[in-house]
């Protein structure tokens, strides 16, 4: 089994910063990509940012130039630095990892964290 543990959510004022962290553990052969998604009330879950094992990153247009995703391949962790946050960033943020499990080695699949609430408000 593969587990993703998130931390760092909370309440932040508009224009402020917040850092989310996620650590993957368990039967991991390799992690192909790690990402952050978010889901606001009444809306579909959407990709925020993704980091591949090769270091390539991509961002949703709504967070470009404000959020930074960083990944530590050796530690199986991914962080999301959220800067200049806006009320519309309010959502539950989910860590995602596309993992090839080990013991035995199997085809890669998506794994999800439990989600962490981020609220941007005065």
């Amino acid at each position: 089994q593969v587990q993703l543990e998130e931390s760092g959510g909370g309440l932040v004022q508009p224009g402020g910063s917040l850092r989310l962290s996620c650590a993957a553990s368990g039967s991991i052969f390799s992690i192909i990509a790690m990402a952050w998604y978010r889901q606001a009330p009444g809306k579909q879950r959407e990709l925020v940012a993704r980091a591949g094992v090769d270091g390539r990153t991509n961002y949703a247009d709504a967070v470009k130039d404000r959020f930074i995703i960083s990944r530590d391949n050796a530690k199986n962790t991914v962080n999301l630095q959220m800067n200049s946050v806006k009320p519309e960033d309010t959502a539950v943020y989910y860590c995602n990892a596309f993992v090839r499990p080990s013991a035995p080695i199997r085809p890669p699949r998506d794994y999800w964290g439990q989600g962490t609430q981020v609220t941007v408000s005065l």
Side-chain angles (χ1 to χ4, degrees):
Q1 277 291 357
V2 176
Q3 298 83 36
L4 300 180
E5 184 172 352
E6 301 140 336
S7 61
L11 175 65
V12 59
Q13 293 187 351
S17 295
L18 200 64
R19 184 179 178 86
L20 305 182
S21 298
C22 174
S25 61
S27 301
I28 298 170
F29 180 77
S30 64
I31 301 181
I32 298 164
M34 299 190 81
W36 289 95
Y37 285 73
R38 68 186 181 186
Q39 187 167 18
K43 294 189 176 181
Q44 288 190 332
R45 190 173 298 189
E46 62 178 3
L47 175 68
V48 176
R50 177 185 287 120
V53 68
D54 58 359
R56 290 185 182 179
T57 58
N58 59 285
Y59 295 89
D61 287 344
V63 306
K64 245 175 226 179
D65 301 324
R66 298 190 297 122
F67 291 8
I68 301 171
I69 189 169
S70 59
R71 178 180 167 177
D72 187 326
N73 292 334
K75 296 181 180 179
N76 291 337
T77 59
V78 64
N79 298 315
L80 185 69
Q81 179 67 40
M82 305 169 61
N83 301 318
S84 302
V85 296
K86 304 175 181 180
E88 50 264 44
D89 294 321
T90 296
V92 177
Y93 283 71
Y94 295 91
C95 179
N96 166 270
F98 191 53
V99 178
R100 183 180 296 277
S102 64
I105 296 176
R106 286 158 284 167
R109 52 156 284 191
D110 281 308
Y111 291 87
W112 295 90
Q114 78 284 0
T116 184
Q117 176 70 46
V118 172
T119 302
V120 183
S121 180
L122 292 171

